[in-house]
Amino acid sequence: MNILPTSRRQFLQAGGIGALNLAIPGLVVGKDKLDASGNAVASKKRCIFLLLCGGPSQIDTWDLKPDAPAEIRGPYKPIRTKVPGMHLSELHPMLAKVTDQFCLIRSMTHPGPINNHFDAMHNLLSGQLIERVKQGEPDGLPYLGSVVAKHLPSEHNLVSNAWLIKCVGPPVFCAPNIGSGGYLGSAHAPVFIGSETNHPAMPNFKPPEIYDMGDPERLWERRKLLADLESKMLAENPQGTDWNDLREKAYDAMTRPEGRQAFDLKSEPLAVRERYGMHPLGQNLLLARRMVEAGVRFITVNGWVGAAPDEKGGGPPSSSWDMHGGNMGMGNAFGGGSYGMNFCLPRLDQALSALLTDLKQRGLLEDTLVVAVGEFGRTPIILTQGPPGRQHWPKCFSAIVAGCGIRGGAVYGESDKTASAPISDPVTVQDLHATVLHALGVPLNDLTMNTGLSRPPFSTGKPVMGLFG
């Protein structure tokens, strides 16, 4: 085994090293790129995918209908934004100042009768049209993050595909393939980071174990022992040589500080942290920005904003945007509880606007795609059995997309007078999936994967070229 020309002192000076395990989900290590000073160069083309689990109401957020009857339009008034003619909810005053940085899609739709969380998420994340999946059971289709990790492996980080706060709870709330890489394999599955009880808004937030500080002295001795035992055997075997190369890349990646440093949010100025918001969504989006800077290619951020004050338990990280109101015992969808827009929308407004501003100021937005979307929308008519709310509505909803060539200051598509259905330029979830892959430079169908098995394309949708410009 030929050890890379790294001295024992240099190896130990690299800092702590976590336990090496090449079977770690999301572990896709590629060759590093360095600048003239020997520092790692940030990876190009990455994505922060904000999944608003539960499905936010389009008519109360980004597609208000002030002329509709009271039982449809809801209590919120539209406000003017930086872009003439583009109006948002009055609970989005900060997003209103950065509308020139994103494109607002008001014609998102599911082409089939998809009316539950796991079917809707599965279609959104897989780019396929599956009218009914078996609840909680994977079917082998890879999700967006896994496809990106396969084709754009991180160049200087252990992780290519990350998910900040896993969708938890009964399978009814979660996409079935969330924890796997589908037929692409576990190496491309996401690394889950954080939880309801361990997230970056907490003072004692702990990073995932793969970034934990280990014992460099012991690992160095183990590496040296393996070199002595395997040098001849691996050198004489082509497969052994490949294994040796892969392991050396993993060693090299683990000694680099970028991955661990991304989790040190205390190094961020307090003003920056407060701009994002000291709540789970705000700090997770800040962490996502730090992770793309550290070389992570695809980061799914759970849109959970945390529990409302004085509300024990609050909305779980699986479904905080599932605002049914009293119909499901969730309180007033327009109130200040964990399932209330008066609580959730200001936090989304603060965090998402801060992310877009931060990426723009740092020169990262050009190569970082930002997507904010739920798995579907909500019914136009407000339910009034008890505290008001809205049911699931797959026919029409909205999304925000920015970066990677997406036109800023634009509205794409239009819904009817009650936000019930698109009336121009419909965008299916499969089309949005294909658009993400196109923006990142990933093929919709990898013809090089000749496994002898018939596989569906990575997306059955078509890139929406009208979003670019």
Side-chain angles (χ1 to χ4, degrees):
M1 175 178 175
N2 298 318
I3 296 182
L4 297 178
T6 303
S7 71
R8 182 176 184 274
R9 182 180 180 184
Q10 288 173 321
F11 186 83
L12 296 178
Q13 283 179 338
I17 303 173
L20 178 60
N21 180 358
L22 292 178
I24 295 173
L27 177 59
V28 186
V29 184
K31 185 177 181 181
D32 242 342
K33 290 185 177 180
L34 306 177
D35 61 19
S37 302
N39 298 318
V41 178
S43 298
K44 296 295 184 181
K45 301 300 182 184
R46 49 265 171 140
C47 179
I48 298 174
F49 194 94
L50 174 55
L51 180 58
L52 302 172
C53 300
S57 167
Q58 71 280 10
I59 203 168
D60 298 300
T61 55
W62 305 331
D63 192 11
L64 279 75
K65 303 294 182 181
D67 297 327
E71 64 271 18
I72 292 176
R73 68 173 181 262
Y76 304 126
K77 297 178 181 179
I79 58 172
R80 294 179 179 179
T81 72
K82 192 172 184 178
V83 176
M86 184 192 296
H87 296 128
L88 300 178
S89 165
E90 61 185 306
L91 297 183
H92 283 318
M94 296 183 188
L95 276 173
K97 297 177 182 178
V98 296
T99 49
D100 60 323
Q101 296 179 24
F102 63 80
C103 183
L104 177 55
I105 305 174
R106 285 179 169 159
S107 54
M108 291 295 305
T109 186
H110 281 274
I114 309 298
N115 203 33
N116 58 69
H117 297 288
F118 58 92
D119 282 344
M121 282 192 194
H122 184 68
N123 282 267
L124 172 66
L125 297 175
S126 70
Q128 308 295 320
L129 176 56
I130 310 295
E131 289 193 3
R132 193 74 176 174
V133 297
K134 196 167 183 180
Q135 183 172 322
E137 294 188 14
D139 62 3
L141 292 173
Y143 287 165
L144 261 173
S146 298
V147 175
V148 173
K150 165 70 170 60
H151 287 272
L152 299 174
S154 176
E155 295 174 340
H156 56 273
N157 199 305
L158 280 172
V159 175
S160 289
N161 179 17
W163 192 300
L164 305 189
I165 301 190
K166 181 180 181 180
C167 175
V168 298
V172 67
F173 289 121
C174 303
N177 294 7
I178 185 175
S180 78
Y183 64 73
L184 294 178
S186 62
H188 305 290
V191 172
F192 294 107
I193 297 170
S195 66
E196 184 177 4
T197 57
N198 177 41
H199 55 74
M202 293 179 164
N204 298 319
F205 170 59
K206 295 181 180 180
E209 292 184 359
I210 60 172
Y211 288 113
D212 277 356
M213 303 287 278
D215 184 351
E217 178 82 31
R218 183 180 180 187
L219 186 57
W220 172 265
E221 295 299 334
R222 291 176 65 185
R223 186 184 186 197
K224 186 175 182 299
L225 177 61
L226 279 173
D228 294 338
L229 293 174
E230 297 180 343
S231 58
K232 291 184 180 180
M233 179 177 61
L234 292 181
E236 297 172 357
N237 188 315
Q239 291 181 339
T241 301
D242 290 342
W243 168 253
N244 179 35
D245 291 343
L246 177 60
R247 187 164 60 191
E248 289 303 325
K249 289 176 182 177
Y251 275 123
D252 186 52
M254 293 187 75
T255 62
R256 292 199 178 280
E258 290 95 340
R260 293 186 300 276
Q261 289 176 351
F263 293 92
D264 183 17
L265 270 69
K266 293 179 181 178
S267 66
E268 285 283 343
L270 181 59
V272 174
R273 298 195 68 182
E274 291 178 342
R275 189 185 312 145
Y276 277 83
M278 298 301 292
H279 45 76
L281 179 57
Q283 296 305 292
N284 268 325
L285 286 181
L286 174 57
L287 176 57
R289 188 221 82 200
R290 293 176 62 87
M291 290 179 72
V292 296
E293 287 180 309
V296 181
R297 291 292 197 177
F298 196 96
I299 304 169
T300 305
V301 179
N302 189 325
W304 182 55
V305 301
D310 304 322
E311 193 171 304
K312 293 182 179 180
S318 59
S319 58
S320 56
W321 294 93
D322 194 26
M323 298 174 176
H324 289 274
N327 183 257
M328 297 286 286
M330 295 176 175
N332 187 346
F334 306 99
S338 296
Y339 286 101
M341 280 180 272
N342 283 353
F343 174 72
C344 294
L345 285 181
R347 284 156 179 78
L348 172 63
D349 179 60
Q350 179 184 30
L352 184 54
S353 62
L355 174 67
L356 294 171
T357 301
D358 208 2
L359 290 173
K360 181 72 172 180
Q361 291 176 345
R362 291 171 177 268
L364 296 171
L365 193 58
E366 182 179 347
D367 293 312
T368 305
L369 181 68
V370 177
V371 180
V373 67
E375 65 267 37
F376 42 49
R378 313 302 292 189
T379 52
I381 297 178
I382 299 172
L383 302 176
T384 56
Q385 300 94 330
R390 300 184 193 267
Q391 294 277 43
H392 302 170
W393 191 256
K395 296 180 181 179
C396 187
F397 55 112
S398 301
I400 282 177
V401 288
C404 279
I406 297 292
R407 289 187 297 136
V411 176
Y412 188 89
E414 183 183 1
S415 65
D416 61 17
K417 295 180 179 180
T418 59
S420 302
I423 57 174
S424 70
D425 299 316
V427 177
T428 68
V429 294
Q430 293 80 19
D431 293 336
L432 181 63
H433 184 285
T435 302
V436 170
L437 295 182
H438 173 79
L440 298 177
V442 176
L444 302 187
N445 192 9
D446 187 357
L447 300 178
T448 66
M449 291 184 59
N450 187 11
T451 61
L453 300 174
S454 177
R455 300 291 193 189
F458 289 136
S459 181
T460 57
K462 296 181 179 180
V464 183
M465 302 310 297
L467 296 176
F468 298 87

